[in-house]
Amino acid sequence: MEDPILARVVEALRPVPGIVALVLGGSRGRGTAGPTSDYDIGLYYEPDAPIDVTALRSAIAPLVDDPSSTVTPLGEWGPWINGGGWLTITGVKVDLLYRDLGRVREVIAEGRQGRFSMNYQVGHPHGFCSVIWMGEVATCQPLLDPLGRLAELKAQTWPFPEPLRDALIARFGWEVGFAIGNAELAARRSEQTHVAGCAYRALCCVAQVLFALNGRYLINEKGAVPEAATYPLTLEGLSKMQAEIWRDIGNADHASALRRLHGVSDALRALVERTGTKAS
């Protein structure tokens, strides 16, 4: 392994009881990272043999720059980001994230049939879409998978399942218009915070539809709209339109912001119709 940070982490975590697989995720896993990007490392475990967190703490202690750095118990950060650690190793940010293989298998099985859920999770203002777990498996780079369990799940994520594509487009295509309608109600009362929240929701839903149209997994709403603007099936001038919407909202010009949002919604609907997929 050429990357010295990954090599050190894998070597240290390899003997920790309960770790079934280690993966490199996030932008580095997808090959889109910049020179200052964090390392996101997923730690997968079976629910009947969870990670020995005490052993994990001992394993990371010699690696971290700050001796007080540690990792959480399982479940500490909620049901969907269920714990891990924010660490710094030789000046570089390294995030460890726990993943329950039992629940990941369930999400993938449901996703293949076009079923998913949107869930509240701190750090995800758009909400945590259950398909994120499926996308993480699809796009990660395995670092340690001696039993081949990640490889088995990866094979179930490609090609992008058609039932999931259709379900995402239908759900989020409908929600774009619903969010804009809520923004209109808020604008009549000059409730700028709610207008901004609804605009954010609408734009994130636009990104969900564009990712699905292109057979891509949306892992995180951060940067999702600019990324969607680069896809083969996208909306012309999407990044510029997004910037103009936020400029209008910042200037309290709600009428202009809403007009632009309606334009985005109409263009998205036309694009979906051209692909032969129905947005409810």
Side-chain angles (χ1 to χ4, degrees), residues 58-171:
S58 298
I60 62 112
L63 303 180
V64 296
D65 297 349
D66 180 357
S68 67
S69 299
T70 188
V71 293
T72 74
L74 295 171
E76 180 75 11
W77 294 339
W80 292 94
I81 305 291
N82 67 323
W86 295 318
L87 313 175
T88 303
I89 299 176
T90 62
V92 178
K93 298 292 185 183
V94 178
D95 296 339
L96 304 184
L97 300 165
Y98 304 145
R99 290 291 184 264
D100 179 333
L101 269 171
R103 294 189 66 203
V104 172
R105 288 190 188 99
E106 292 173 0
V107 163
I108 291 175
E110 290 175 355
R112 287 171 58 85
Q113 297 178 51
R115 298 198 302 270
F116 64 92
S117 62
M118 283 295 289
N119 311 278
Y120 175 79
Q121 173 64 52
V122 173
H124 288 261
H126 172 54
F128 193 98
C129 184
S130 59
V131 178
I132 287 174
W133 281 354
M134 189 172 185
E136 287 175 343
V137 171
T139 60
C140 72
Q141 295 182 24
L143 302 172
L144 182 69
D145 186 24
L147 303 176
R149 295 181 188 178
L150 251 295
E152 180 181 351
L153 288 177
K154 248 185 184 301
Q156 297 177 35
T157 64
W158 297 110
F160 197 95
E162 286 295 315
L164 178 60
R165 173 185 180 272
D166 293 346
L168 289 166
I169 291 170
R171 159 69 186 271

